[in-house]
Amino acid sequence: MRRGKEMGVESKITTKGQTTIPIEVREYLKIGAGDRIGYEFVNGKVVLVPKNRSALDFAGVLFEPDRAPVSVETMNEAIGEAISDRYEHSHDRD
């Protein structure tokens, strides 16, 4: 593993599609042996999500200082649209 120019840290993928999560990332996510992680696709990036933590642990993670506040109603609409899009997309595969 080595530090990348823009990525922070990087690791190599084996021929079996496996990789070692660098210690800096494990420490940052507070994960260790036996913990589960999820992979989420967010704005063209893949985000590692530790499954051993509560939602409160992620408070402020998506904060962007220049972004205008959004109402709960707007958030609910966006969530509903995303669920609908995901549902429609999942049935496109059938």
Side-chain angles (χ1 to χ4, degrees):
M1 282 156 277
R2 62 188 179 119
R3 291 199 174 277
K5 291 179 184 175
E6 295 180 22
M7 298 177 67
V9 292
E10 59 185 49
S11 61
K12 186 167 70 171
I13 299 175
T14 68
T15 56
K16 293 183 179 183
Q18 299 172 334
T19 189
T20 299
I21 300 172
I23 187 72
E24 297 94 337
V25 175
R26 292 188 312 241
E27 288 175 350
Y28 182 80
L29 294 175
K30 297 179 180 145
I31 59 174
D35 287 339
R36 298 181 57 81
I37 57 173
Y39 301 87
E40 295 187 8
F41 302 95
V42 179
N43 298 323
K45 297 179 181 181
V46 177
V47 178
L48 293 179
V49 180
K51 295 297 185 176
N52 60 333
R53 295 171 64 185
S54 75
L56 291 176
D57 291 332
F58 297 99
V61 166
L62 300 176
F63 176 71
E64 292 180 15
D66 297 332
R67 187 180 355 172
V70 178
S71 69
V72 172
E73 291 80 15
T74 302
M75 284 188 254
N76 286 338
E77 278 183 33
I79 292 168
E81 289 174 13
I83 291 170
S84 177
D85 289 348
R86 184 173 284 188
Y87 177 80
E88 288 174 13
H89 181 69
S90 70
H91 287 305
D92 289 343
R93 295 181 198 165
D94 296 337

